[in-house]
Amino acid sequence: MHEDHQIAPLAGVRVLELGNYIAAPTAGRLLADFGAEVIKVERPRTGDELRSWRLHAGTTSMLYRTINRNKKSVVLDLKTEEGRRLVLELAKHCDVLLENFRPGTLEKWGIGPEALNAANPDLVITRISAFGQTGPLSPRPGFAAVAEAVGGFRELVGDPDRPPVRVGVSIGDSIAGLYAAFGSVMALFQREVRRGAAQPAVPLGERVIDVALNEAMLSMMESLVPDYEAFGVRRERTGGRMDGIAPSNAYVCQDGASIVVAGNGDSIFQRYMRVIGRPDLAEDPALASNEVRWARREELDAAIGDWAARHPQAEALAILEEAGVPSGPIYTAADICRDEQYAARNMVQRLPVSTGEDVIENVGFPGIVPVIGGTSLPIRSLGPDLGQHTREVLTEILGMTPEQIQAVTAGEGALL
C-alpha cells in the first residue's frame, strides 16, 4: 500500500487551466491526479458551467467535484484587462496552459500563444476545440455530440434498424482530454530532454498542442477509413455486436439479468460451444474461421441466447468462467460500488462531499487510472468550491498583498 506523497510523477509541474465543461478539465484532472499543481481559472459568480450540470441538490454537482478533483480554483474575469493581465502573470510561473475556448478567443483577448510565449518562452500551450485551430471548420463552435458524429463514431452506435444513438457519457470530450494530457506530458518530456542535452529551447510551434474533438474520435475508429478506401466497405451499426467478430454479444439470463460473452477466438469458440451444449457447432469445420462465424452470427446468437435463458446470471457466468470463456455481468452503478475487484484496487474511493449546501458522507468516486504501486492512488481533494484558492494563489505565486487582492476581488467588478 502506498501513501499519496510517495507516488507523484508530475510533482513540481504547475498547470494553468482555462477550460470549462469536460474536455480541458479532464486533461487537467489527469495531470492533477499524478501530482501536478493544477490552477483552474473560473469566471466570477457562476464558475465553470459544469457546476450546475446534473445538479441533484445544492449548488455544485458531483460531476464537477469528480472532473475537477485535486485542483485549485481561482476566480478571474478574462473579459477584463486586469483578469487577462493576471493570467499572463500566472503563466510566467506555470509549465502548461490548458484551454478549450473557441479558436481565436484567447487571441481576441490578447492572451493567445504569442502573448503567452512572450510571458513564458518555455510554456506548453495545450488547446482543445471542436475542429482544431486550423482548417475551414476551425471557427465553428461544437460540443462532443457534434464531434462524435463528424468523427465517424455516432454512425456505428445503436441497432441497424434504428437511427444512430449516443453513448451515455461525453466520450468525445473525455478522449480529447486524454490526448491533451498525453500531448502536454509529451511536450514537457521533449523540453526536459533538450534541457538535459543543452540543446536550443523548443520553438513555440512545437509547444502548441492542438487537439480537435472530431479528430480524437476519428483516431479511435480503428480501420473504418482504410477499409472503405481499400475495399469500399461501409461499416454499419450492429447493436451489441462488433462488426466482423462473432460470437460476441450480450445475452439475457433466466433471472432477467444480462451478461456479455466474447467467445470469438478460434480455440475459445470451440470450448464455448461445447459448454452451452452445442458440440455440433464446435466441430463444424465451416465455423473454424471468424469470417464464417460472422456470416452465421444469427444462428450462433440464437443458440447462445437459448442457453443463457435457461440459467440465472451467476450460474451462467460460473459455467463460462470454468470453461475459460471471457464473460462478465453488465454492471450498474450499484454493482460497481459493491464489486470486490474494484475495492481491491481502491477504484471506488469514499469521501465526504459538499453539495454547496450540505455535506454527504462516504460518497464513492472513481479512482485514479492507471494504477501505480499496486492500487489506485488516493484522491487528495474533490473539485474545489468556486474561488476557494484565489487568495492563496495570488499571494503565494504572484506575491500580491492583501490590499492588492482586495482591490481585485471587491467592489462592482468583484471577482469572487
Side-chain angles (χ1 to χ4, degrees):
M1 194 70 173
H2 47 63
E3 299 293 335
D4 58 347
H5 66 274
Q6 292 181 328
I7 301 178
L10 297 180
V13 172
R14 181 177 286 149
V15 179
L16 189 62
E17 180 189 299
L18 306 184
N20 294 316
Y21 300 112
I22 294 177
T26 292
R29 172 181 65 82
L30 292 166
L31 300 175
D33 280 349
F34 292 97
E37 179 188 8
V38 177
I39 300 169
K40 179 179 181 66
V41 174
E42 301 189 68
R43 70 187 66 179
R45 288 169 285 278
T46 57
D48 188 334
E49 289 90 335
L50 216 62
R51 288 183 178 274
S52 60
W53 282 23
R54 298 181 200 145
L55 184 63
H56 299 290
T59 58
T60 303
S61 69
M62 296 298 114
L63 182 58
Y64 177 90
R65 298 292 191 196
T66 301
I67 291 179
N68 292 287
R69 67 190 185 195
N70 296 329
K71 300 178 187 178
K72 297 178 178 179
S73 172
V74 169
V75 170
L76 294 176
D77 191 346
L78 301 187
K79 294 183 179 180
T80 68
E81 183 176 343
E82 179 66 3
R84 296 190 293 269
R85 184 188 72 79
L86 289 174
V87 163
L88 290 175
E89 288 298 315
L90 286 170
K92 294 178 182 179
H93 302 272
C94 292
D95 301 285
V96 178
L97 181 138
L98 300 171
E99 66 102 355
N100 63 345
F101 291 104
R102 190 190 303 191
T105 300
L106 291 191
E107 288 84 348
K108 179 182 68 176
W109 287 341
I111 52 175
E114 295 293 339
L116 291 166
N117 188 60
N120 182 352
D122 283 328
L123 185 67
V124 173
I125 303 167
T126 300
R127 317 189 74 176
I128 307 177
S129 59
F131 300 104
Q133 302 297 317
T134 60
L137 295 183
S138 64
R140 287 192 184 181
F143 285 132
V146 176
E148 290 163 18
V150 175
F153 178 73
R154 184 72 73 93
E155 176 64 17
L156 300 186
V157 183
D159 292 308
D161 59 344
R162 299 181 184 183
V165 299
R166 191 178 188 187
V167 298
V169 294
S170 298
I171 193 71
D173 283 318
S174 297
I175 291 175
L178 280 165
Y179 275 119
F182 170 67
S184 300
V185 172
M186 182 171 58
L188 289 174
F189 180 78
Q190 180 187 32
R191 187 186 74 177
E192 296 309 306
V193 166
R194 289 204 179 188
R195 282 179 177 175
Q199 294 177 344
V202 180
L204 175 61
E206 296 180 34
R207 284 183 282 109
V208 176
I209 308 301
D210 182 357
V211 179
L213 295 178
N214 67 310
E215 293 166 357
M217 292 309 303
L218 174 62
S219 75
M220 294 291 163
M221 297 312 298
E222 300 173 352
S223 61
L224 177 75
V225 170
D227 282 345
Y228 172 75
E229 292 273 303
F231 308 112
V233 172
R234 288 191 59 177
R235 290 273 303 276
E236 297 180 352
R237 293 182 293 285
T238 56
R241 297 170 173 145
M242 176 63 73
D243 186 55
I245 298 172
S248 180
N249 209 339
Y251 307 94
V252 181
C253 295
Q254 186 182 61
D255 54 2
S258 295
I259 59 173
V260 168
V261 190
N264 47 285
D266 291 345
S267 61
I268 294 172
F269 171 74
Q270 294 182 14
R271 298 196 302 271
Y272 188 10
M273 293 301 100
R274 289 191 178 96
V275 82
I276 69 166
R278 292 298 304 270
D280 57 311
L281 297 175
E283 295 161 9
D284 187 342
L287 292 172
S289 71
N290 188 69
E291 181 181 3
V292 178
R293 292 197 296 270
W294 175 249
R296 293 172 61 180
R297 59 190 179 275
E298 297 292 348
E299 175 188 356
L300 295 175
D301 273 346
I304 299 164
D306 288 344
W307 175 82
R310 299 195 301 271
H311 299 274
Q313 183 194 64
E315 181 179 286
L317 290 173
I319 293 169
L320 293 168
E321 182 179 359
E322 178 67 22
V325 178
S327 59
I330 295 179
Y331 270 6
T332 65
D335 296 321
I336 292 170
C337 290
R338 57 176 173 253
D339 181 80
E340 294 180 357
Q341 177 67 21
Y342 284 125
R345 289 168 62 85
N346 199 31
M347 275 298 162
V348 176
Q349 301 185 24
R350 302 192 176 279
L351 299 93
V353 57
S354 171
T355 66
E357 294 179 353
D358 301 298
V359 174
I360 306 174
E361 300 291 342
N362 203 38
V363 175
F365 286 84
I368 292 173
V369 176
V371 163
I372 303 177
T375 63
S376 175
L377 299 176
I379 298 169
R380 301 189 302 279
S381 61
L382 296 175
D385 293 336
L386 180 60
Q388 181 177 336
H389 304 91
T390 300
R391 289 178 173 82
E392 172 191 323
V393 168
L394 297 183
T395 300
E396 296 182 2
I397 297 179
L398 300 187
M400 294 175 65
T401 65
E403 292 75 21
Q404 291 171 321
I405 295 173
Q406 177 65 20
V408 170
T409 59
E412 184 67 25
L415 298 183
L416 291 178

